[in-house]
Structure formats: C-alpha cells, structure tokens
Amino acid sequence: MAADNLTKSSAMQDRRRRKSLSIFRPSLSGLTTIRDPAPDSAPAAMLRKNFRQSSTFSMPPTPTSPLASSALERNDSNSSFERSSSPIPLSRPRTLQKVSRPSSLFGSFRSLHSVQDEEEKLVRTRSNNSSVTDDVPSFFDITNMVVLHHGEVQSGGGMFRKKNTYLVLTNSHLLRFKTQVKASEAFPNIPVSLGRSSTMRHSRLSSGGSITETPVSTDGCIGTPLHQVVAVYKLDDGRPYFTIEVAHLDEAANQPLTMSLLLNDPRESDLWLTSIRAAVAKMRVADPMPPLRKTIEYLVKAVEYECDYDPNHFRMFKVVSRASKSGGRSSSDDLAKLTSSIYYLVIGFQKLHLVPLPRTARLGSTVSLSEPTGTSHGICSLTSVCLQSSDDAFQLGFRTPLQPSTTLYLASSCVIDIALWIRQAAEFLRPAWLELPFLWHVPRALDDSLLPVSSPDEDEDDHQCFDRTLTAYCVAYNVDPSNIRYTVDYNCEDAPEFELLKPNNPRRPRYTVLELLSIMRALCYNESFHSISFADADLSGLHGLCDQFGSEHVLWTTRTGGHLNLPKPEQNWLLIHEIQSIALKSKRLRRLNFSSCLKRKPRDEDNARDEGSGICEAIFPLCGQQLTNVDWIILNGIALAELDIDYLYAAAIEKSCHFRAIDMKDCGLNSNSLRTVMQGILHQEETLESVDISCNPVRLNAEQFGRQLSSLQRIRRLNLSNTNCSAAKQALLDSGTLLRWKLEELSLSGTTLNEESIEAITDYLADKQASTLRRLRLDQCQLTGKQAAAILEAMNEGHGKARNAHVQISENKLELGHDLLVEAIKSSKTPSHMTMAMLEYTREQNFRDLISALVDNKSLRYLDISRISLPFDANEHTCKLLRHMLETNDTLEDLNISGEETHLEAVTLGPGLRDALKGLEKNKSLKVIRVEHQALGLPGANALASVLEKNCTLQELHCEDNGINLQAFTSLVNAMKNNMSICFLPTMDKDRAWSRQKVDREIDSMRDGTPISSSQVTKSNVRKVFSGAMHGGRSFSNRNQEKPPPPPGYTEQDVQAAVASLDQRWDAELTRLQGYLRRNYCLAHNLPLPEEASASSPVESPKASSGEGLATALKAASLDRTPQSELDLQLGHKQNDWPMVDDGLHAGDSDRDREYGEKLIDFGDEASDSGGELTMAVKQVCG
C-alpha cells in the first residue's frame, strides 16, 4: 500500500514537472529544477510507463537533434538545458522508426518544445485503448477551452511533403490534430466524421528564411498559444487555392514559427481568417503579454545605434516581413524563395526601424547588437500607409527625393495600433500640416480613432515646432541638420521674417539639394513666419531639376482642399514645386525675398527660348488665381527672361492680386521688358507701395516715366538708382508727383540729377507731406556743396529740432560750395543721421572746417565720414581739432571715421589719429565708434586701451584691420578688465591672420636670401621675425638696436613651436575677451552674472611686454630650448656666448618644454631692467 501511494505521489510529481515544460506556458522564467530518478529505480520505471500511456500531444523526434539520445536535466545554479550523461535504457518504439529519415530541409530549426517532446517519444509506447485522457497530455488542461472553429485543412510539413490536419481554434490556442477522430476525442462537441475531406490534395512547399515550419506529429497534437501569434494574413503564392499564413513567435525561446493553411473554398478561407484574427484580438485584450526585458534592452540598443531613442517616443511591435510575389505563374523554385521573416517594428522619434530578432548562441544567453541587419526609414520620407480590414497585412512606402521608392510588405495582429501610432508620429513631427504628404489608405472607421496631437499654437516660441520639423526632414533625407543656419528678424517690416543664412560648413558655400528640400518642406504650413528670405542663398541646385521617381511632392489641392488648376504640375522643376508649396500652404505669409538666389545667365540662342528662372512661373500663377496671400515679391539680382516677364504681366493685370511690391533690381531688364512691366503694374495703382527698377540697363524717358508713376497712389518706396534719364532740362520726378505719395524711402543714387530735379526734391522736402520720409539716398549724384546745403536746409524743421531721417550724400563734389555745407552743419540744420563717406578733399583746410562745424552741431546723432581722402596725412592742427571735437560734442552717438585699404592705395588720416582718439576719454555721448583700416598699430591700440579704462559710456568699439598684433591685442583685453560698458570688441581675426602671414612671409624671404642648409636657418634672423610679429615693427631695418652675434642653427621644429606658442596666446586672450564681454552684456541687460565673472578677478591679466624685454625672452626661447641645443648638451658640445641653464631643464621634462614658449611670452619688462634677461627667464620657467 505504501508502495502504491509512493507510486501515485511520484506520478503526480512527474506530471507537475512535465507541465513546467509545456509549450503552452508563456515564459520559461518560472521553471523549477528537474532531476529525474535513476533508470533502474522502480518508481522511475512506473512513471515512464504511466506517462507513455498518455503521451499523445507530442512532437516527432528529429534524428539530427543532439538531444535525441540524452535526458533533460536542470541544475539549481543554471537555468539552461544541458545534456544528461546517463543514457536512456529503453529502445526506440517500433512505431517511430519511420521518422529516422530526414524530415525536412529546415529540421534543425525546431521550436523549444520539440526538445521535451523528443524525450517523451523515446520513452513512449502505444496503448490499445485510446481515450480522451490517453490522447491529451496530463499537463494540458482543456476544461477551460472553448472551441470557436474547427475543420480539416491542408498544411505543409516540409518542402516535399503534404499533410492533412484537423485544425481546432479555441479561445486560447490553435490546435492541430492528425485526424478529426483525435480532435473529437479531445473535444466531445466536435462530431466524428468519416466522410471524404473537401480539402484539395496539393503539396505544400515550406517557406524558407528565418521562419520555419513546425513539424507535424504522426499521431499527436501541436498547439500554438494565441498570444504568440504575430500575424494572420492571406498569402499570394501563385497556387490555385487559397492560403492563410499564421506566423507566431516564442519570444522566450527566440524561435519564430509559421503555419500555412491551404483551402480551396474562398468562403471557408475567409471564415478561418476572420475567426483566428478575432480570437487573437480577444486574447490580446483579455491576457496581454508584456515584452521581455531583454527584448526591450535589445531594441533600445538598436534604436540608440540610429541616434533615434526617446523614451517618450518609443513603440515596439512584432511584425512579419511578408514574401512579395511579382505575379504570373511560379515554379517550385520560385515558391521556395517566397520567404517571410519576423521582425520588430519600432516607431522612434524620427524614424521607423525594422529590427531583426536578436541572435542568441543558446537559450538563456545574452543578446548583442553586433552587425545589425535591420533597416531604418525616416518618418518624413513616408509616402504611403495601406492596410485593409480583411487581414493583418499592410504596406509602408518610403522615398527619398531623387531616389526610387521602397515598399515594406508587413503584417501584424497589431496593424491598427501600428497605423495609428505612425500617423501620430507623423503629425507630431509636422504639427502645423493640415494635410500630410503621404497616401493614407485605411478603412474609414480607422480615421475616427486617430489620437489627438497638441496644437502648434501652444509652442509659439518655437515657431510652430519649426526646428522639430526641419530636423526630422534632415534625418529622413540623411543630411546633417547642424549645417543649416537661419535667423529670425522681429524688427523688420512684415515681421517675423525667416532668413536663410550661409551653411555652417565653410568648405561648402552652398546648400545641397537635399538640404534645400529639407528647409523648404519644413517651411510649408508654417504660420509663424510672415516673411521668408532666401536672399544670397544659392538655390541653383533646384533650378531645372526634376524628380522622375515619384509624384508625392506634386501639389494637387489648395490649402482648403480644393482642386489646383495648374498646367502639367508633375513635369515642373523641384524649385517650382517647393516655392508653390510654401506660398500656397501658408495663409499668413506676405513677403518672399529671392534676392541673388539664382546664379544664371540668360540664354542667347535664337532658336531655343530661355526657360526662365522658374520663380516667376511658381509664384505669379498662384497670385493670379488668388491662391496665396503673398503680395510682396523681391526678385533683385536674378536675370529674368521673357518667359518670366510674361508670367509677371499675366498676374499683374489682375487687380485682384493686390500686389504691394515687385522689386526687380539688377534683373537685366531692357527697354521692352521694362515697358511690359510698367504696363502690368499700373493695374495695381491702388495697392502698389514699392517700385524698385534700379541697376537695369535701360534709359528712362522722364516725361513718359513720370506720367506712369503719377498714376500710382500709395507709393512708399521708390528706387531709381543707377538709371539713365533722357531728359536734359526736365525733372525726373516733379514735386507734384512726390507730394502725392507718403514716401518713406527715396533712392536716386548713381543717377545724375539736373537743377530741375534738385529743385523738385527741395520743394518736396520743404513740404509737411515729406515728414514721413526716413531715408534719402543721393550718392554719386554729382551734387555740389551748395546743392547739398539746400537739401539740408529744406529738411530743417526749425526750433532746433532735427528731423528723424537719414540723408546719404557720399561720393559727391561737395568741395564746390563747401562753405555753405559747413554753415548748414554748424547751424544744426542737418537731420539726425547723415552719411558723407568717400569724399576727396584737395585742401585739408576744408576738412578742418567740417570738423570745426561738428563741434557746434547739436542735431546729428549719427555721422559717417569714413574713407575721406586728404592730400597728405592729417597734420597736428587737424588732429588736435578732431580730438577737441571728440571731447566736446555731446550729441553724437554713432561715429564712423574708418579708412580704406585697397591693393593700390590706403586712405587713412595718418599717425596723428592715434593721439586724437584720446579725446574719447572725456566723451559722454558716443556709444558706437568705428575706426577700422586706419593703421593704428601698437600706439593706436594703447590709445584705445586708455580710452577703455576711462570711458564709461562707450558700448561698441570697431577697430579691426589696424595692424594690431598680439601685444596690442593683449593691451586692449587688459583694459577690458575694469570696463563695464563695452559689449562689442572685435576678435581681431583679420589682424591675427595678417600677423601670421607676415611671419610666414618673412621666414620665407629669409630662407631664400640666407645661404644655409635646407633644415637650418640663422637664429638671429628668426628672433627678428618673431620680434616684428609681436611688436609690429620692422624686422630687418631696426637701426637703433645692435644686432647680436648669430647663434648656432636650429631646426624646423623650433619654428613650429614658436608659431604654436603665438597661437596659444591669441586663443588665451580671446577667451579672456569673451568672458569680459559676457559679463558686460549681463550687466547691460540686468541678467545674472556668470560664475566666472562673479569673482573679483576672474582671469589674471598678463602684462603687455615691452619690445626689448619680449625680444630678449624670444631670444632665450629660440636658443636654449631647441632640439639642436639639447642634442649639443647631451654630446658635450659648447654653446658660444650663451649661459648654461639649470639642471632642472633637461630633455626629459617634456611638460615644461610645452609650456616654455608661452611662459616666456609672459615675461615682462623686469627682465630688461635686470641685465640678465635669459637667466631670469629660465628661472621663471623653472619656478
């Protein structure tokens, strides 16, 4: 009795253990330790005997399996399966001997449960009495299963085998029985039918690839948990019957499987497909299975590898990459190549990733991301999302511009969720888009399930997420977003204005085609920019370029969804498409600036017509049909063809266009094209605000042109610069025409004005109607001082009040009648801003009179007298007067006294300007001063440093291109330590480059003129070169200094070390300067100071070395720490006329060697006073 109880207890324990290895378990993490008893024990034999009588739900053994003759054993310390060393004493049953042949080409790819089933087959014997309890394993509980559908189908058991199985679909599993009788024994509600099967007897070719067929048992059942099903879809493999493919994945074992159901009745096929999909969907809702942690880690690594991981934008799904068939009849070999594979589809922040299953060496091994074979596609390159409600299959299309499209044929039981999350991700990257640029072919009911996306109005500071959209397009098109530079102007007309700048990479002065497409497509639907400027951005890459691989970029509808009536839009250039998209899809966009964005030349052939710029073809048809709100178009600097003029004229004659401006400066207009343009814009007389036809090779008829302009009513800006007028005694613009407008800007520069024109302008300026004028450009108009004085007096409003306007009278003959001009300036009859640049004085006295008048002037706030040419350098009296003006004038806020330097001549005021600048020490009104190209050098830099130490109102100092070397720059930076007002001081990049070029040039000339070897030069010459580079003096003609005896030679490495020390010192001074400027900016704008500026002495200011002391230090640096001198010391050679250094400086101190040159530069004047310059320098370095 006790033995029987022990036997029953052991049997129950063995069944519980066998149940832990069931394929119907969702995970293997809960396995308990298994240790089978010895083979010769009675309980073990009884257990095997009892189990053999009920083991029908098993898999056939595979001869190639290494575990076919081993027992399963599991240790407490190891969770993986290992081979047992003890053989199984029982022989293989006779009924299983047939399976000794190779079962399938893919027999090595078996599921995890085949390991356990093989062991059960080896110890199993048949029972003559079959029952439900005998056929169903003891670890399988069918009491809770509900049969949903059942029937006989044909499935493939290998590449060259066909099997008829009876399929039973329950609420939790999909079971395959050998016969209907076996199914009815397991489920009594399934009737026993001995009739002929209606399934067609066709052979089933198994699919290859990563998914394998599950071997069919000869007298058992195979079950697939529904939560492991990845997809159920129709398979179009070219066979004359209907195929359903069920793909499932045992994630714990990392084993992909597939099962194909072949039916000849389409209704039966649809019924099976619908039933399995519904059961899987219900199972997913009732019992969701979370992904394994190792799977998540693997996918995170894969997405991080693509730099696309964001925890808030990470969605993962299991999908099947379906086998695609081109169509037509297929042979057996073709059918064998139709492979399907299971992948993970990850929806990242900016990409969709198709990640393959992780590679595992054995069960339980860790996964890695070595050599990933998946693919990634940018979400912004998505062109189509197609799915149907009949099965789990769907298609995703992607295309990069100018490349063929790529289509992914996928399937997933989560197809609805995948489509919704893809749509959510696409709308997140383009929140302002009303119509996404890809085909959305989904069931109608799916549109009602779309997830809400945050409105772009909630993120106004980011300009409706423009950066997000731009970056997404760059990632999709595989371009670097950091190379794109732009700015937003909030102070211009029609603000804010998006302005595209030059690329960030200096080696590429123009954007690539994909970069331009990324920028222009990111601007679509953006309502935050009222103006967009592509000025000076080269768009030539899109000119004449067509994309023949797709048409998703072609516009077919308007912003509101209406039909777009444009001729043959699919044949247009990409430039036309992108400009139309920007203008058509934004209702707040008012201004487009294309100045100098195309570098094209008009075609001169008579037979072929010039195709034009493409810009006019893109924008003007939209304006003519009132499909855009753009009414200010700037085409300056673009050569326009006759075709462009035709498009312009066709739109301009439509009064409904409401054009405000069409600027065509330097567009190559001739007399005929200008006549056509003027005839067109006359129809816009009620709305036109600006006319710019300057710099075109035309000759205007004053009478006719004036009559045309007089019909325009709302002109605010008129630019007729550099145009020729045919009238000799007639005003180009009479005062009546000018008084009809409320002008804000009038430009006549480069146009010769006769007396009638000057009189008309003065009459206009004297009227109150001219109070709106803010800028008057009369440069190079052959004005005399008398005429300029008349213009200034006409603008005088009296009562000592200056008109807020800017008058430019540069490059005129103002020396004629100069006294009248000086008197007008002295009497404060000038406007607030005035430019008198590039004046040529033949008498220096006239320039002194101008400076003297500025002493008494109380109306000017801005004055530009730059590039003034004197017969000689300004004398002492002139410089003293200029210094007095800088000290006493209390109204000027912005002064420009810069010079000019060209290859032929240099226009400067001479060395006396250096002393005159010291007058700024007492100035209390100037905020900005410009003294560029005046050859200030070290003395001028010292004068400016003195100004910085004493002036507390100056905010900007522009002093570049003045021959400022390192010592002069250090002096300026030192003066910034106690100055709290300067917010701008140039980094002296041009001066630094000038200093470096001077060093290189003098070294080259020294090498060419000195008879030495190719590897050595004279050190005394190098000392002179670097002394000149540091102090700005001449290196070879300093007669006051005694030349030292020539020391031994040195190598090229010494020259490089000395130049590197100069560069390091420049960088150090730049760092100090940036710190001071950052501190002052925070003080000016009431911002918290940075941490480095909070300290009283953030950066120790080095002392600017004098010429003699620094030359001595360079002498020591160039003679004592060279590789040649160290080699001489090691060889015991004597160094002539040079003292020996301390023992601390030897060849092994590499760290001190690197700091030696820089510390010697810091060596100051105290060395020259002591008489032992070299010794003190060495002691300073040694500490």
Side-chain angles (χ1 to χ4, degrees), residues 844 847-848 870 874-883:
E844 186 175 351
F847 179 67
R848 282 198 297 267
L870 300 178
N875 57 30
E876 183 179 359
H877 181 52
T878 303
C879 295
K880 287 184 178 180
L881 187 60
L882 180 58
R883 176 172 181 173

Side-chain angles (χ1 to χ4, degrees), residues 1043-1114:
K1043 295 183 180 181
Y1050 76 103
T1051 63
E1052 289 292 334
Q1053 186 177 358
D1054 304 325
V1055 178
Q1056 297 176 3
V1059 173
S1061 66
L1062 292 177
D1063 292 337
Q1064 293 174 3
R1065 183 59 184 273
W1066 271 104
D1067 295 336
E1069 296 304 320
L1070 285 177
T1071 303
R1072 292 177 54 219
L1073 176 62
Q1074 293 173 359
Y1076 292 139
L1077 294 178
R1078 190 181 303 111
R1079 176 200 63 188
N1080 294 353
Y1081 178 85
C1082 295
L1083 292 175
H1085 295 82
N1086 296 323
L1087 299 177
L1089 294 176
E1091 296 181 359
E1092 62 271 13
S1094 301
S1096 58
S1097 180
V1099 181
E1100 183 179 357
S1101 303
K1103 183 177 180 181
S1105 304
S1106 63
E1108 183 180 359
L1110 185 56
T1112 307
L1114 285 175

Side-chain angles (χ1 to χ4, degrees), residues 349-410:
F349 183 58
Q350 297 164 337
K351 292 182 179 181
L352 292 179
H353 308 271
L354 203 59
V355 184
L357 298 179
R359 300 175 180 178
T360 54
R362 59 184 177 89
L363 183 64
S365 64
T366 59
V367 298
S368 63
L369 193 62
S370 59
E371 300 181 1
T373 59
T375 59
S376 298
H377 302 274
I379 296 177
C380 284
S381 64
L382 184 68
T383 59
S384 63
V385 177
C386 301
L387 62 140
Q388 299 176 355
S389 58
S390 59
D391 61 356
D392 293 339
F394 65 99
Q395 299 177 14
L396 299 178
F398 300 90
R399 195 177 77 87
T400 302
L402 306 176
Q403 297 293 333
S405 60
T406 301
T407 303
L408 302 180
Y409 298 92
L410 306 175

Side-chain angles (χ1 to χ4, degrees), residues 609-630:
R609 188 180 183 184
D610 194 342
E611 297 178 345
S613 63
I615 297 177
C616 297
E617 182 180 355
I619 191 66
F620 287 118
L622 300 181
C623 297
Q625 300 181 29
Q626 303 181 39
L627 298 177
T628 179
N629 291 328
V630 175

